[in-house]
């Protein structure tokens, strides 16, 4: 009879709740590589994302303490996004996910793109 193994899935569930979805990891990678980006720079860098989706994902990442939104009181308004220490602590994990993807892609489509 197989040995019963207890598994605590709460840590992975928590991690996936923070980085889950199609866009959050991509947003985080762009911020990691660029250090500071404005909304328009993120929008033009992430192909296929809508304004509504980018806005929603940024709000969720900010709520989860993954990014910092800095608003400058000037005209025209200026907002910049950066990773927090908590966000930066996810980068080794996400970098390894990227490496796994590179190794397992059937074709090399990522020349001169993120890590």
């Amino acid at each position: 009879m197989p040995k019963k193994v207890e598994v605590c899935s709460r840590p992975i569930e928590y991690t996936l709740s923070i980085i889950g979805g199609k866009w959050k990891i991509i947003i985080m990678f762009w911020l990691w590589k660029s250090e500071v980006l404005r909304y328009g720079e993120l929008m033009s860098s992430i192909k296929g994302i809508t304004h509504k989706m980018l806005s929603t994902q940024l709000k969720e990442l900010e709520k989860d303490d993954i990014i910092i939104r800095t608003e400058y009181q000037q005209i025209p308004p200026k907002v910049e996004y950066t990773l927090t220490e908590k966000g930066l602590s996810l980068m080794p994990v996400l970098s390894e996910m990227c490496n796994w993807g590179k190794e397992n892609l059937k074709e090399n489509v990522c020349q001169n793109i993120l890590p």
Side-chain angles (χ1 to χ4, degrees):
M1 189 161 152
K3 181 179 173 183
K4 185 175 180 176
V5 177
E6 286 193 34
V7 176
C8 177
S9 63
R10 293 208 26 149
I12 194 74
E13 290 170 8
Y14 171 72
T15 304
L16 290 175
S17 76
I18 300 295
I19 65 170
K22 180 177 180 178
W23 301 110
K24 286 182 181 177
I25 292 173
I26 296 168
I27 292 166
M28 291 168 60
F29 262 122
W30 276 106
L31 290 173
W32 182 43
K33 288 303 180 182
S34 302
E35 293 183 20
V36 176
L37 285 173
R38 294 176 69 180
Y39 181 90
E41 293 170 323
L42 278 166
M43 188 69 205
S44 63
S45 298
I46 304 171
K47 305 302 178 218
I49 195 167
T50 64
H51 282 284
K52 181 178 180 183
M53 184 56 70
L54 179 57
S55 178
T56 299
Q57 298 295 281
L58 288 170
K59 286 176 185 173
E60 289 178 14
L61 288 167
E62 184 181 15
K63 179 184 71 70
D64 290 329
D65 193 33
I66 301 299
I67 65 169
I68 297 169
R69 178 184 189 271
T70 305
E71 186 173 345
Y72 297 92
Q73 298 301 317
Q74 65 184 48
I75 297 176
K78 178 180 174 183
V79 177
E80 293 179 337
Y81 296 92
T82 58
L83 289 171
T84 62
E85 289 299 316
K86 184 177 177 181
L88 286 169
S89 72
L90 276 165
M91 290 304 105
V93 174
L94 300 185
S95 183
E96 283 304 310
M97 289 173 64
C98 186
N99 290 336
W100 184 91
K102 283 180 184 177
E103 291 174 13
N104 290 281
L105 275 171
K106 298 287 184 213
E107 58 206 52
N108 187 4
V109 295
C110 291
Q111 294 177 5
N112 299 323
I113 300 182
L114 297 175

